[in-house]
Amino acid sequence: MSIEPGLRILRCLARIALPGVIALMAAACAQTNLSTLTPVESAPEPEQEEAQARITGVEPVRPSIALSEYLLYKLLLAEIAGHRGMLDTSIEYYLDLARHTKDHRIVERAARIAVYARDDDAALAAARLWVELDPRNPDPHQVLAIMKLRAGDLEQAAEHLQDIFAYSEGEADEKLWMIANLLGSEKDKEAVLEVMEKLVATQDSSPGALYAFAHVAARLEDLERSRELLEDTLALAPDNNNAALSYISILQRLGREQEALSWLEKKLAKGGENDFNLRMAYARLLMEVRQFGKALDQFELLVDREPENIDVLYALGLLYLQSSRLDEAETLFKKLSAEEHLTDTANYYLGRIAEEKRLYDEAGDWYQGVYKGEHYFDAQVRLAMLLARKGQVDEARNHLQSIRSRSGQQALVIVQAEGDLLIQAGRYEEAIAVYTEALDDGYNPDLLYARAMAAEKTGRLDLLEKDLRSILEHEPDHAQALNALGYTLADATDRHAEAYDLIRKALELRPNDFYILDSMGWVLYRLGRLDEAIEYLRKALNIRQDPEIAAHLGEVLWVRGEREQAKQVWETALQQTPEDTRLLDVIERFDP
């Protein structure tokens, strides 16, 4: 038997080796004298020899060595050690066998195990022997290139890279990409870039070589170098759209989205308008920078070109939903629901659309069709909120508690959802109890704020102030807590000066927040500074047509004697929210 077939047998034996196999092989070894080995002719494997010849151009010289009991024993020990994770032992045996047999297959296995085990010294020794036996095989040159690179011998590393390039199959660009992928995971960025530059310099400024170099630079996070190389590539090969897409990606990673947009717009205007992938990149970039209207126009052009393209339909559906074109979004997501890998995602968005249309039963049916995927958790939470909306609060709570959270953030969402549905049902004390239990795990500003708001509903201003001040002790610039505490002190106590200071600080942090502008108007009203109060309240109402702001502004105008203006403000707000209790209460008090 020759060594090569024996190796295949041994790998099978190693996987099923039982206790006692080593002892049996040792007994066989005791009867064998290594010095009496008789060379025999090795039988070549035709498929392997043809593959080797295709790669190297010449068949490596192979020794004629009989597979003795001793060699079989050592090979078996090496394989068993490898399968049991004893890589040092496996490497030791394989290196010894490699030096003795000079069989390139054993040498190759020794090198590969050493590389896998990150034993650089053993990998270097095995690769040197391998390249002696099979000098035109690119694989040992790969190992040597990496070892020399890690040792700082850049000249030798570059030479081995040249050998890889010379002896590998494929076109020049394919070889360069293979080398780029080989180098891209190395840690010594400067060394990799230097040897890559030496290799690319031999290619006479080939666009393919520059593109491969740009790929390496990008993988090593040298984004500016990658950008420069891609610009050089595109100057030589302006129609290379793969390079163009890579260039856009690099500009995005550099935070230069507007520059990427301008470049793409010029590219599309110069004849690239028919390139589907470039237009897709442009449309996606528009979405990323939140230019949704322009993005929608681009995706509509794309869907005209490829009406069955799933990626285009999905993006367009999201844009229709974002722009409240619900019927068009629904049509697309129903189509996508038939795609097996998108069924759960499409059903989730169809539920969202049904909610927007206030078709709550239908929304629930769609959410129940979400069985897995990134939207599963949110679909389950929304199902609970729909149950609560129908008055099934206890069933909703049970459903929330049945959801398995996969992170602390999801667990927090469940607590907040349970508290919210209890508050919406007017069960404030139960909501407080839910938040209190969750806060046993430690400080959480979101839960403290939620409990403070529930406490306000029950008139427990002491708990509200305690929780909001706890937030401010940890986060003095928490604008939401500053505003909530300031507003409550202004509205429910006579501590108006203290309230003003809190709200003023919140407004400095968020000068255009309509809630805080409303609070400032309200505290100024409480302080008797009516003209200033009206100014802030009008500014808040211009930002957001909110019924509470309208109630406040109308009250201040009424108190200042501008009753017709006050009525006009209230009537306008009532047209949008005719059942808002805050508006109805203030009108009842001042204009019964």
Side-chain angles (χ1 to χ4, degrees):
M1 181 187 290
S2 69
I3 288 177
E4 176 60 36
L7 270 175
R8 295 199 302 273
I9 296 171
L10 283 169
R11 289 170 194 163
C12 294
L13 285 173
R15 295 188 183 98
I16 60 173
L18 301 172
V21 169
I22 293 178
L24 289 171
M25 297 308 298
C29 175
Q31 301 171 10
T32 303
N33 187 337
L34 192 62
S35 64
T36 64
L37 284 175
T38 303
V40 297
E41 191 67 23
S42 297
E45 296 279 342
E47 296 85 354
Q48 292 175 346
E49 300 304 338
E50 289 175 11
Q52 187 71 8
R54 281 198 304 273
I55 295 172
T56 65
V58 63
E59 178 186 342
V61 177
R62 301 179 62 185
S64 297
I65 299 176
L67 183 60
S68 69
E69 292 172 334
Y70 181 78
L71 287 180
L72 183 65
Y73 167 67
K74 295 197 78 171
L75 286 166
L76 183 56
L77 286 184
E79 283 295 312
I80 291 172
H83 281 280
R84 292 184 176 179
M86 301 163 60
L87 296 180
D88 290 345
T89 302
S90 183
I91 291 167
E92 180 184 348
Y93 279 112
Y94 261 118
L95 271 178
D96 183 52
L97 286 163
R99 292 181 178 119
H100 172 72
T101 65
K102 297 295 194 296
D103 186 286
H104 77 283
R105 296 294 184 185
I106 291 179
V107 176
E108 175 182 352
R109 187 147 178 82
R112 293 190 185 283
I113 294 172
V115 169
Y116 176 78
R118 300 182 184 276
D119 186 335
D120 288 355
D121 291 338
L124 185 60
R128 282 173 173 164
L129 182 55
W130 189 4
V131 85
E132 287 176 17
L133 298 170
D134 196 1
R136 296 177 65 82
N137 187 333
D139 291 348
H141 289 290
Q142 287 187 28
V143 178
L144 288 169
I146 294 301
M147 294 301 108
K148 293 297 182 181
L149 181 67
R150 292 175 183 174
D153 188 345
L154 304 188
E155 291 297 329
Q156 283 288 308
E159 288 181 17
H160 286 293
L161 290 175
Q162 288 285 8
D163 289 334
I164 295 168
F165 188 83
Y167 301 141
S168 297
E169 287 187 308
E171 300 296 326
D173 289 357
E174 294 172 338
K175 297 178 184 182
L176 284 165
W177 272 98
M178 183 267 289
I179 292 171
N181 286 322
L182 173 69
L183 297 176
S185 58
E186 289 301 300
K187 294 180 180 178
D188 189 341
K189 179 172 76 172
E190 296 303 322
V192 169
L193 292 175
E194 186 172 337
V195 296
M196 191 67 186
E197 191 157 21
K198 290 177 183 293
L199 181 61
V200 169
T202 67
Q203 302 304 306
D204 298 325
S205 298
S206 155
L210 292 170
Y211 186 25
F213 193 2
H215 171 71
V216 172
R219 286 187 63 177
L220 296 173
E221 296 298 321
D222 192 341
L223 301 184
E224 280 295 342
R225 185 72 176 278
S226 181
R227 179 189 61 79
E228 292 168 0
L229 288 163
L230 286 167
E231 287 178 353
D232 292 341
T233 303
L234 290 165
L236 293 169
D239 294 329
N240 185 334
N241 285 339
N242 288 329
L245 293 171
S246 297
Y247 182 55
I248 294 306
S249 176
I250 291 297
L251 288 177
Q252 288 178 262
R253 289 171 66 182
L254 286 166
R256 295 159 65 170
E257 290 86 359
Q258 291 302 322
E259 185 177 337
L261 281 173
S262 298
W263 190 89
L264 270 171
E265 286 165 359
K266 291 176 184 176
K267 181 76 173 173
L268 290 168
K270 287 181 179 178
E273 68 275 2
N274 293 323
D275 188 284
F276 185 87
N277 292 327
L278 280 180
R279 190 169 295 281
M280 175 74 94
Y282 179 53
R284 285 175 169 165
L285 186 53
L286 286 167
M287 284 186 72
E288 185 173 318
V289 299
R290 305 184 68 81
Q291 294 186 29
F292 297 121
K294 288 185 176 180
L296 194 151
D297 292 339
Q298 293 301 314
F299 276 110
E300 286 183 330
L301 290 173
L302 289 166
V303 84
D304 286 341
R305 292 270 303 280
E306 294 191 12
E308 300 303 317
N309 187 299
I310 299 302
D311 292 335
V312 173
L313 293 175
Y314 180 55
L316 187 56
L318 291 177
L319 287 166
Y320 281 147
L321 180 56
Q322 190 273 336
S323 57
S324 297
R325 293 168 62 173
L326 301 181
D327 291 339
E328 291 159 295
E330 183 177 17
T331 298
L332 289 182
F333 281 117
K334 281 183 175 177
K335 185 173 184 177
L336 292 171
S337 184
E339 300 290 331
E340 185 175 349
H341 70 289
L342 279 175
T343 298
D344 293 283
T345 297
N347 288 352
Y348 169 76
Y349 283 113
L350 286 165
R352 294 287 301 271
I353 292 166
E355 271 200 87
E356 288 287 322
K357 292 183 173 183
R358 300 186 180 183
L359 302 173
Y360 301 120
D361 289 339
E362 183 179 326
D365 291 339
W366 286 117
Y367 290 141
Q368 286 177 345
V370 181
Y371 297 105
K372 60 184 183 299
E374 62 177 311
H375 299 298
Y376 172 78
F377 176 79
D378 192 43
Q380 297 307 306
V381 172
R382 287 179 174 275
L383 264 175
M385 303 308 287
L386 288 173
L387 286 170
R389 180 184 287 276
K390 294 194 294 184
Q392 299 173 275
V393 177
D394 292 328
E395 291 86 343
R397 295 182 73 183
N398 290 335
H399 184 75
L400 283 173
Q401 291 161 9
S402 73
I403 302 172
R404 294 182 60 184
S405 58
R406 297 185 177 181
S407 66
Q409 182 59 38
Q410 286 189 349
L412 175 62
V413 168
I414 290 172
V415 171
Q416 290 175 314
E418 186 175 2
D420 285 346
L421 65 85
L422 286 168
I423 288 172
Q424 290 171 14
R427 293 161 61 170
Y428 306 120
E429 291 294 348
E430 290 176 81
I432 290 172
V434 168
Y435 297 135
T436 300
E437 181 179 356
L439 282 164
D440 287 342
D441 293 335
Y443 170 76
N444 185 293
D446 295 331
L447 294 180
L448 283 169
Y449 187 86
R451 187 170 70 174
M453 296 302 97
E456 188 269 335
K457 298 289 187 182
T458 63
R460 295 173 60 180
L461 299 187
D462 56 334
L463 179 58
L464 175 145
E465 184 167 0
K466 173 177 171 291
D467 284 348
L468 294 178
R469 289 202 182 279
S470 178
I471 295 172
L472 294 172
E473 285 174 11
H474 288 84
E475 304 173 55
D477 290 337
H478 195 294
Q480 198 174 11
L482 287 165
N483 180 59
L485 182 55
Y487 178 81
T488 302
L489 294 179
D491 190 59
T493 76
D494 58 1
R495 295 157 60 185
H496 299 149
E498 185 180 353
Y500 175 81
D501 289 338
L502 290 164
I503 296 168
R504 179 175 51 79
K505 184 175 180 181
L507 195 60
E508 289 172 357
L509 294 166
R510 295 186 184 176
N512 295 313
D513 188 307
F514 64 88
Y515 282 123
I516 301 174
L517 288 165
D518 174 63
S519 297
M520 179 57 78
W522 195 242
V523 73
L524 288 168
Y525 168 58
R526 292 295 198 186
L527 289 166
R529 296 159 60 176
L530 302 187
D531 290 345
E532 294 172 85
I534 290 171
E535 180 182 345
Y536 279 101
L537 291 169
R538 285 196 185 280
K539 186 175 181 180
L541 195 61
N542 286 335
I543 295 173
R544 175 73 170 267
Q545 293 295 311
D546 182 88
E548 185 173 13
I549 301 173
H552 289 164
L553 177 57
E555 180 171 338
V556 179
L557 288 168
W558 188 283
V559 170
R560 201 174 68 165
E562 300 177 25
R563 297 188 175 185
E564 289 304 317
Q565 286 192 40
K567 289 180 181 180
Q568 184 177 350
V569 169
W570 290 334
E571 288 170 3
T572 301
L574 279 173
Q575 290 174 5
Q576 298 175 347
T577 53
E579 298 179 359
D580 187 86
T581 55
R582 293 161 297 187
L583 267 174
L584 296 173
D585 287 347
V586 75
I587 293 170
E588 178 66 24
R589 281 193 292 116
F590 288 96
D591 189 25

